[in-house]
Amino acid sequence: MHASTTQDGVSQGGTGGHLVTIDAVMQQVAEHKGCGTQGGSGKASCGSAAGQGDLPTEIWEKVKNHPCYSEEAHHHYARMHVAVAPACNIQCNYCNRKYDCANESRPGVVSERLAPEQAARKVLAVASTIPQMTVLGIAGPGDPLANPAKTFKTFELISQTAPDIKLCLSTNGLALPDHVDTIARYNVDHVTITINMVDPEIGAKIYPWVYWNHKRYTGVEAARLLTERQLRGLEMLTERGILCKVNSVMIPGVNDRHLVEVNRAVKSRGAFLHNIMPLISAPEHGTVFGLTGQRGPTAQELKALQDDCEGEMNMMRHCRQCRADAVGLLGEDRSAEFTTEKIMEMEVDYDLEGRQAYQARVEEERVAKVAAKQEELATLAGARSDITLLVAVATKGSGLINEHFGHAKEFQVYELSTAGAKFVGHRRVDLYCQGGFGDEDGLQTVIRAINDCHAVFVAKIGGCPKADLLGAGIEPVDQYAHEFIEKSAIAWFKGYLGKVAAGELVHTPRGDAAIRQGALIVAA
């Protein structure tokens, strides 16, 4: 189906030259080739076993191409959020939804709000342009369940027109118990609940108020109401087989150690994944915590807490704390390409078979990546060393070392040991290259962001930043350009251990690193 659309939402084409409304366009897409499954199993034809591990098949089918629920998938698949839910029913001391910057990645931030019909049109436009986009989420800018009519109308339209796209929502959980049946009815398989405490005394330090049943609650009473409904909603969802991810914001001195208790509480109620995120508290954001000087955690503090909780349940380490209108791979945002004005002028060609073929190639790439990692890991068999270290990687995605040092907006961080390479997080940075020239101030922010790393893997790097990195004790590694990350990191680590054993170098632990707080600074 091809349809060029005018500014007033009326489409021309696709019906023998007659003018049709957006509703008609949506209906045509809904009728295009059904749901794209094969055989009696109802499973999509493009699946593979790469990364499945010990997950039951029905769980694997839900997470294998979900970039938020699978660390391995986030290298290959994209997501998008639509901003259809402006109202919120609680106030958080770390949130200010009035702030907007096109270069800012932070929950609650949007450039424009959409009606459900506009959101559905945008999803089709994005999915037609980005075939690896597999997930549609509603995460704000307020709370989706404080805007239930808009949220579920959007899900209804997407399920009719793009049934291959997974549906997600993120909620603070206050209204969750009242909407679990509706969530299940619309086949929303993934729900994220932000749970920052299970102790109302701690909650009172995070939430000034909640608004429930036409009444505003404050202090400990508000926090008690919130935590009771969050945990009840989590139990109700998991009883229905809906995968739940719990987000928690780490606030040093407020709930940092308490999050270990939160971790146990959500695990006991069936949560699939726990995502502990650093507090974003730059003063320019205008949040209560930002204006009162509440600091966020350092990289070492965040990793230590995640490590403490990992023994209890699966931890998410690849979260980017996305905007409520983010589009693209995690770590990138292409929302500026899909403004309302632009999508109304776009040709929408929702080629389901083409999307499936593209994703089948992605699965082949994933299999090759896993095989390469296992092959290199086998060369470490029998090696014994207590050395554990971190390395940073510049990547555009696909699990490859494929980004120039100066063009990186973030670095992915891996922990290396004789057990292999383990993804442990990412570090946002300012661009080093600004308009073709290196920015020395920007380079210092990069060094601070990866100061706990022994090496940085890049596709290419200039002589000046290379020298400065070496001076800071960070080895620039460019000999593995465009090769798989984990395979390359393991090969480098094997060489590192060899040098230590031969006395060519002495392993020295690195210091801490800074987690970036402000908006990204990009070239004009």
Side-chain angles (χ1 to χ4, degrees):
M1 177 204 60
H2 297 273
S4 58
T5 312
T6 61
Q7 292 287 342
D8 60 2
V10 177
S11 300
Q12 177 71 50
T15 57
H18 297 292
L19 289 175
V20 294
T21 65
I22 186 64
D23 290 338
V25 173
M26 303 287 285
Q27 181 59 33
Q28 287 183 340
V29 175
E31 295 170 354
H32 179 69
K33 296 185 178 70
C35 66
T37 58
Q38 290 186 351
S41 68
K43 295 179 181 177
S45 59
C46 61
S48 80
Q52 181 170 357
D54 297 326
L55 289 177
T57 300
E58 64 274 14
I59 301 297
W60 172 244
E61 290 296 323
K62 293 180 180 181
V63 305
K64 67 179 182 181
N65 61 355
H66 195 307
C68 299
Y69 280 69
S70 167
E71 182 274 312
E72 203 278 330
H74 102 276
H75 296 288
H76 305 276
Y77 291 102
R79 85 311 187 206
M80 70 174 293
H81 295 164
V82 289
V84 299
C88 198
N89 49 9
I90 73 173
Q91 178 60 52
C92 309
N93 281 335
Y94 53 75
C95 181
N96 178 9
R97 294 180 291 118
K98 294 181 180 179
Y99 182 91
D100 176 32
C101 171
N103 299 322
E104 178 63 270
S105 179
R106 185 166 57 85
V109 175
V110 297
S111 294
E112 57 181 3
R113 298 170 182 171
L114 305 175
E117 293 76 16
Q118 292 174 312
R121 169 79 186 187
K122 182 174 181 177
V123 171
L124 295 179
V126 171
S128 299
T129 307
I130 307 176
Q132 70 271 37
M133 193 280 281
T134 55
V135 173
L136 179 278
I138 300 179
D143 189 86
L145 299 183
N147 305 259
K150 294 177 180 179
T151 294
F152 291 116
K153 179 62 176 178
T154 303
F155 284 147
E156 178 184 9
L157 292 172
I158 299 305
S159 63
Q160 291 172 355
T161 57
D164 63 314
I165 293 178
K166 290 179 166 63
L167 304 179
C168 300
L169 68 82
S170 297
T171 177
N172 59 49
L174 181 63
L176 181 56
D178 299 329
H179 296 285
V180 168
D181 290 340
T182 308
I183 290 169
R185 186 164 67 250
Y186 281 96
N187 295 317
V188 179
D189 276 337
H190 306 78
V191 175
T192 295
I193 313 168
T194 298
I195 301 178
N196 295 314
M197 55 83 206
V198 291
D199 180 343
E201 295 289 341
I202 293 175
K205 301 175 184 178
I206 302 171
Y207 305 102
W209 55 261
V210 308
Y211 190 76
W212 179 244
N213 277 345
H214 311 289
K215 179 180 177 181
R216 187 184 297 262
Y217 297 82
T218 61
V220 172
E221 184 182 18
R224 180 175 293 109
L225 174 64
L226 178 60
T227 189
E228 288 174 353
R229 294 187 62 80
Q230 287 174 333
L231 296 178
R232 188 189 316 162
L234 172 59
E235 290 175 342
M236 294 170 68
L237 288 170
T238 57
E239 286 171 358
R240 287 164 172 77
I242 296 170
L243 288 189
C244 294
K245 174 168 66 73
V246 170
N247 283 353
S248 299
V249 179
M250 180 184 178
I251 310 165
V254 177
N255 73 341
D256 44 355
R257 298 316 308 164
H258 176 61
L259 287 180
V260 176
E261 184 179 345
V262 172
N263 180 267
R264 296 192 191 103
V266 300
K267 179 189 178 185
S268 69
R269 289 165 174 82
F272 176 74
L273 197 62
H274 193 189
N275 172 31
I276 297 179
M277 308 176 293
L279 171 70
I280 299 174
S281 59
E284 60 265 29
H285 297 155
T287 66
V288 170
F289 281 148
L291 295 175
T292 56
Q294 171 63 55
R295 74 173 181 89
T298 67
Q300 201 169 75
E301 289 171 335
L302 177 64
K303 182 178 181 298
L305 177 58
Q306 292 171 332
D307 289 347
D308 285 346
C309 292
E310 191 168 47
E312 295 294 324
M313 66 182 297
N314 295 324
M315 296 298 296
M316 178 182 183
R317 309 237 190 183
H318 58 283
C319 176
R320 301 308 198 273
Q321 294 176 272
C322 303
R323 293 166 56 100
D325 59 3
V327 174
L329 294 170
L330 298 192
E332 73 172 0
D333 184 11
R334 298 176 59 180
S335 58
E337 301 174 35
F338 301 98
T339 62
T340 300
E341 180 179 358
K342 290 178 180 178
I343 65 172
M344 297 311 289
E345 296 175 347
M346 290 176 63
E347 283 194 356
V348 175
D349 183 6
Y350 193 77
D351 181 3
L352 187 55
E353 290 182 348
R355 281 173 51 80
Q356 290 177 327
Y358 185 95
Q359 292 174 27
R361 292 195 296 273
V362 169
E363 289 301 309
E364 292 173 0
E365 187 177 87
R366 290 176 72 179
V367 171
K369 173 189 166 187
V370 171
K373 173 186 174 181
Q374 294 302 324
E375 180 182 357
E376 193 64 44
L377 188 58
T379 66
L380 273 175
R384 293 291 180 268
S385 175
D386 294 330
I387 292 177
T388 298
L389 55 80
L390 301 180
V391 297
V393 181
T395 176
K396 297 178 182 177
S398 299
L400 299 172
I401 304 166
N402 55 4
E403 181 68 283
H404 190 294
F405 174 82
H407 299 162
K409 296 179 181 178
E410 72 164 30
F411 291 88
Q412 297 189 5
V413 178
Y414 286 78
E415 184 176 68
L416 304 183
S417 69
T418 53
K422 174 184 176 183
F423 180 87
V424 295
H426 72 284
R427 308 286 168 76
R428 291 174 55 200
V429 298
D430 295 334
L431 282 176
Y432 169 64
C433 287
Q434 300 279 349
F437 298 94
D439 177 8
E440 289 306 311
D441 290 338
L443 178 58
Q444 293 309 307
T445 69
V446 175
I447 291 175
R448 286 194 294 270
I450 61 173
N451 187 57
D452 53 348
C453 297
H454 278 74
V456 56
F457 289 70
V458 298
K460 190 175 182 181
I461 186 170
C464 289
K466 181 180 288 188
D468 285 354
L469 285 165
L470 286 169
I474 303 170
E475 179 186 349
V477 181
D478 57 5
Q479 66 262 38
Y480 299 105
H482 304 285
E483 296 186 20
F484 288 121
I485 294 171
E486 291 162 307
K487 176 182 185 295
S488 302
I490 293 169
W492 176 88
F493 183 64
K494 185 172 60 175
Y496 182 92
L497 292 181
K499 292 177 182 178
V500 172
E504 297 177 23
L505 61 82
V506 177
H507 173 70
T508 305
R510 300 284 299 167
D512 207 345
I515 296 177
R516 195 169 188 325
Q517 285 285 312
L520 291 173
I521 300 174
V522 298

